[in-house]
Amino acid sequence: DAGVIQSPRHEVTEMGQEVTLRCKPISGHNSLFWYRQTMMRGLELLIYFNNNVPIDDSGMPEDRFSAKMPNASFSTLKIQPSEPRDSAVYFCASVQGAGSNQPQHFGDGTRLSIL
Amino acid sequence: AQSVTQLDSHVSVSEGTPVLLRCNYSSSYSPSLFWYVQHPNKGLQLLLKYTSAATLVKGINGFEAEFKKSETSFHLTKPSAHMSDAAEYFCVVTRTGTASKLTFGTGTRLQVTL
């Protein structure tokens, strides 16, 4: 079975540029999560969607970050303009039912480097 | 409110010896607990989960964990370490029935030596 698929796996860009990260959740999973992982702060939840609707975006650092989920099989996380402090590994995860006892399934992440 | 503490940031064992990764949790609700493993440049992979059924939980790759409510612990063990077990391990807590609000531990890096 295909897991959570993220693209690109690596992204290197200069500060000020727009960055778009993509995620395809597991088919049938109706909740999707975006996380950021850094050495200093560990894993942080940025935003999560349930049935394509953003439920909690309190973890989004600032207005430069935005996320969309236009359909059940695709989500994007956009940073515009990007800054060096945005450098991190960004993970997408999905689960069938945010109110269930099921574990979240994680993608392999996008390693983002902002120069 | 909920929190999780991984007592060791780094554990080193010899191949073939037992592994013990310690995790203590705090939760105002009935908790569900998970252990995830993260290999370099990979995402988090579920090892095992506890969701109020049997307190001794068996997972993949020979790992198991025991939920001890009286000690608020959920330690991860494996009888015999393998080189491929070298990775970062995360203990995670959430409220039972709430898959969305995970609280992650800070991680334990397991080193396996020959």
Side-chain angles (χ1 to χ4, degrees):
Chain A
D1 289 343
V4 175
I5 299 172
Q6 293 187 244
S7 64
R9 289 296 317 277
H10 303 274
E11 176 86 15
V12 180
T13 192
E14 294 185 347
M15 65 177 294
Q17 297 298 307
E18 178 178 293
V19 173
T20 300
L21 311 181
R22 297 173 175 78
C23 175
K24 177 179 170 57
I26 292 173
S27 178
H29 285 191
N30 62 345
S31 295
L32 181 142
F33 307 81
W34 282 101
Y35 292 90
R36 179 171 66 178
Q37 185 180 39
T38 61
M39 289 291 292
M40 292 296 295
R41 301 170 72 96
L43 273 156
E44 305 172 275
L45 176 65
L46 300 177
I47 185 171
Y48 89 90
F49 295 83
N50 194 49
N51 294 324
N52 311 337
V53 176
I55 302 299
D56 182 357
D57 65 355
S58 60
M60 295 286 263
E62 47 199 276
D63 292 346
R64 298 185 296 106
F65 285 69
S66 62
K68 294 182 179 180
M69 192 164 186
N71 58 62
S73 59
F74 184 66
S75 177
T76 59
L77 178 67
K78 187 174 293 187
I79 309 172
Q80 167 65 19
S82 58
E83 297 182 4
R85 60 194 169 116
D86 302 330
S87 298
V89 182
Y90 291 80
F91 288 103
C92 177
S94 69
V95 68
Q96 185 176 11
S100 71
N101 289 332
Q102 295 303 311
Q104 294 182 18
H105 295 258
F106 287 77
D108 284 340
T110 295
R111 184 173 296 275
L112 178 64
S113 297
I114 308 297
L115 305 177
Chain B
Q2 59 195 23
S3 66
V4 61
T5 302
Q6 292 185 242
L7 298 157
D8 306 295
S9 60
H10 184 263
V11 170
S12 182
V13 301
S14 299
E15 189 176 34
T17 64
V19 176
L20 170 64
L21 304 184
R22 298 183 294 167
C23 172
N24 285 97
Y25 71 92
S26 172
S27 178
S28 303
Y29 311 104
S30 176
S32 288
L33 292 148
F34 308 90
W35 275 100
Y36 283 87
V37 61
Q38 184 179 26
H39 291 278
N41 300 314
K42 301 290 280 184
L44 278 70
Q45 179 188 14
L46 180 72
L47 278 178
L48 48 80
K49 65 177 182 179
Y50 165 79
T51 55
S52 74
T55 56
L56 182 62
V57 182
K58 294 188 184 298
I60 62 171
N61 300 336
F63 285 95
E64 64 180 38
E66 185 171 8
F67 173 74
K68 291 187 177 181
K69 185 176 180 179
S70 61
E71 298 177 11
T72 61
S73 69
F74 191 58
H75 301 334
L76 182 70
T77 60
K78 182 173 180 177
S80 176
H82 191 273
M83 294 297 289
S84 61
D85 295 328
E88 187 94 16
Y89 291 79
F90 292 93
C91 183
V92 181
V93 66
T94 188
R95 180 177 181 178
T96 296
T98 310
S100 59
K101 290 289 189 181
L102 302 185
T103 298
F104 291 84
T106 51
T108 298
R109 181 162 298 279
L110 176 65
Q111 181 181 14
V112 182
T113 59
L114 289 172

